[in-house]
Amino acid sequence: MSTSIETPATASGRDGGHGRADERTYEFDRDTAVVLREPGVYDADLSAGWTIIHAVNGGYLLALLGRALGDHLPHPDPFTISAHYLTPSVPGPAVIRTETVRTGRTLSTGQASLFQYAEDGTEVERIRVLASYGDLDTLSDEVRTSAEPPAMAAIENCFGAADGPTPAIPGSSAIADRLDLRLDPACVGWAIGAPSGKGEMRAWFGLADGREPDALSLLLTVDALPPTSFELGLKGWTPTVELTTHIRSRPAPGPLRVSITTRNLAGGFLEEDAEVWDSADRLVAQSRQLARAPRA
C-alpha cells in the first residue's frame, strides 16, 4: 500500500522540521511531498506554483528528489548533491526512482531520477542526481574559513515584489509568489532597463508563508534568485544544465542571505557560484551550476 512521506510541517522529521506542535501545511512541504509506491519508487506531483516561464524551477526539483533520497537512504541530510537537468520538467505527475549506491557509518550515497510521460505515452527522464547523505547534527563545531557574509543593504532597504520598481522576472514567474525575496539595490538595474553589467545577484531570502529554512529547503534556495545573466544585460530563460550543492550546516531560523556571482560567460554558457548565509552569520550552503545563457 502506498504511503505518504512525512514532511517537516506535519511531523518531527529527521531534518529538523517544525515538529508536531505546528500543524500548518507549508507550500514547500506540500509541493515536495512524495508517495512511496514500492521500495525505491516514489510518485510526485510537480506543482505549477514553482515555475519560471513555463518550466519547473530547478531548485524545487532538486528539493523534491532530495526528499525522496532522504527517505530512501539511512542518513537524513543531504551533504552534497549533483544534478544533471536532461529535459525541461512541466507541472503534473512524475515518478522518482531511487537507488542506494553505498552505505557507510557516517555517509550513504544514492542516486535518483525523475521521469514524466510525454504526450505519446513514452517515459522521459527529466533530471538525474547523485548524492551523499549524512547527519548534520553530528558535525564538528570547528570552523576555519576566510569566507565572509556578503555585503548587502539592510533587509528593509532591499526591493521586494511589492516595492517599486517591481523586479519582475520577464515572462510567467509563479515561483515569485512562493518566495519572500528582497533584492539588494545594487542588483536590480535590470528591472528598470539599466543592468550593471556585473554578473552579481544578492538577496535576502525566505519563503512567503513563513516556513523556516532547513537542510532540504536550502536545495531550493541556491537556485531561486533571478539569474545573474539579467545584470549582464540578457533577458529570458537561463536553463540549468548541471547544479552541485553542498549543505554545510543546519540553518538557524530567520532570513537567509544569498550571493550569486558569474565570472565567465563564454560559448553560450555561464557558471553561477552561490553562497547561502543564515541569521547566525554561518555559511550553510554553497553551489555551482552551469547554465545556458539566454540569447541576446
Side-chain angles (χ1 to χ4, degrees):
M1 180 176 66
S2 297
T3 57
S4 295
I5 303 305
E6 291 183 326
T7 69
T10 58
S12 53
R14 296 185 299 177
D15 57 355
H18 298 276
R20 297 184 185 278
D22 189 342
E23 296 180 355
R24 292 184 59 184
T25 300
Y26 291 94
E27 286 185 301
F28 175 79
D29 298 301
R30 180 195 69 205
D31 293 343
T32 58
V34 294
V35 178
L36 183 65
R37 180 197 298 181
E38 59 187 68
V41 180
Y42 299 85
D43 290 311
D45 187 26
L46 307 189
S47 169
W50 302 88
T51 54
I52 294 182
I53 307 180
H54 301 296
V56 180
N57 170 260
Y60 163 75
L61 292 171
L62 194 62
L64 187 70
L65 275 80
R67 190 181 293 284
L69 277 171
D71 178 78
H72 178 72
L73 295 172
H75 292 93
D77 301 312
F79 276 24
T80 177
I81 181 166
S82 296
H84 285 263
Y85 295 82
L86 308 177
T87 53
S89 298
V90 296
V95 60
I96 299 171
R97 297 192 176 95
T98 62
E99 178 185 345
T100 301
V101 176
R102 180 185 181 276
T103 297
R105 185 176 61 84
T106 60
L107 289 174
S108 54
T109 299
Q111 60 184 9
S113 291
L114 184 145
F115 299 86
Q116 291 186 300
Y117 288 100
E119 292 183 359
D120 62 3
T122 58
E123 195 173 65
V124 179
E125 187 174 8
R126 303 296 195 192
I127 175 176
R128 183 180 297 190
V129 306
L130 181 66
S132 290
Y133 275 58
D135 187 345
L136 291 171
D137 293 332
T138 66
L139 297 183
S140 167
D141 292 332
E142 181 182 13
V143 176
R144 302 184 188 184
T145 182
S146 60
E148 296 180 354
M152 289 173 50
I155 191 169
E156 61 270 18
N157 296 326
C158 290
F159 288 99
D163 300 316
T166 301
I169 296 175
S172 171
S173 184
I175 190 175
D177 295 332
R178 319 270 88 76
L179 308 178
D180 182 7
L181 201 62
R182 312 291 180 90
L183 294 173
D184 190 311
C187 302
V188 297
W190 57 272
I192 57 174
S196 67
K198 299 178 180 179
E200 299 177 351
M201 197 67 65
R202 293 183 298 275
W204 295 87
F205 178 90
L207 292 170
D209 59 7
R211 184 195 190 276
E212 294 288 4
D214 63 6
L216 192 67
S217 70
L218 290 175
L219 299 178
L220 164 70
T221 304
V222 298
D223 192 43
L225 270 60
T228 56
S229 57
F230 287 2
E231 275 295 271
L232 291 172
L234 301 176
K235 297 181 180 180
W237 188 35
T238 309
T240 303
V241 177
E242 187 270 346
L243 171 61
T244 294
T245 303
H246 299 159
I247 305 301
R248 307 303 302 270
S249 180
R250 205 179 302 286
L256 302 166
R257 283 163 292 173
V258 186
S259 173
I260 304 178
T261 59
T262 293
R263 297 178 59 200
N264 191 54
L265 190 162
F269 292 87
L270 58 89
E271 89 288 346
E272 288 191 335
D273 291 317
E275 291 185 352
V276 182
W277 295 77
D278 71 0
S279 60
D281 285 344
R282 296 178 305 162
L283 180 61
V284 293
Q286 298 167 278
S287 72
R288 165 168 279 200
Q289 69 171 280
L290 180 70
R292 187 182 295 275
R295 292 177 174 84

